[in-house]
Amino acid sequence: MKINELKAEIVRNGLTIEEFSDAAGINRTTLWRRLSKPNEFTLSEIKSMSRTLNLNSDKVMDIFFADKVS
């Protein structure tokens, strides 16, 4: 997962981490914890964050699923 890219998308959307957590419906403490251990995001959290940031499927794959399998 690309944490810096996720944070950049949050900033591009004009949100603070706190505003983003509220908009995505993720508890602030949970979000901060997940950002320090990014492989622990649940699928529902990823979906919620993607909707909040209006990410297209390519961007979702790039940010949240950076490791490509061939």
Side-chain angles (χ1 to χ4, degrees):
M1 183 172 166
K2 297 179 181 176
I3 289 296
N4 288 336
E5 187 60 31
L6 175 59
K7 289 179 180 178
E9 286 295 333
I10 293 168
V11 171
R12 285 184 199 116
N13 279 270
L15 300 169
T16 65
I17 294 292
E18 291 77 15
E19 292 167 333
F20 174 67
S21 70
D22 290 341
I26 301 171
N27 180 282
R28 292 176 189 187
T29 304
T30 301
L31 181 60
W32 280 111
R33 192 173 343 132
R34 298 277 199 269
L35 290 173
S36 68
K37 294 183 181 182
N39 294 329
E40 294 185 8
F41 278 111
T42 66
L43 184 55
S44 63
E45 290 168 340
I46 291 171
K47 286 180 180 179
S48 179
M49 291 186 292
S50 300
R51 280 191 300 268
T52 301
L53 297 173
N54 298 312
L55 301 177
N56 65 34
S57 59
D58 289 336
K59 197 65 169 174
V60 170
M61 293 303 291
D62 182 52
I63 292 173
F64 296 103
F65 305 100
D67 298 330
K68 296 188 179 196
V69 179
S70 57

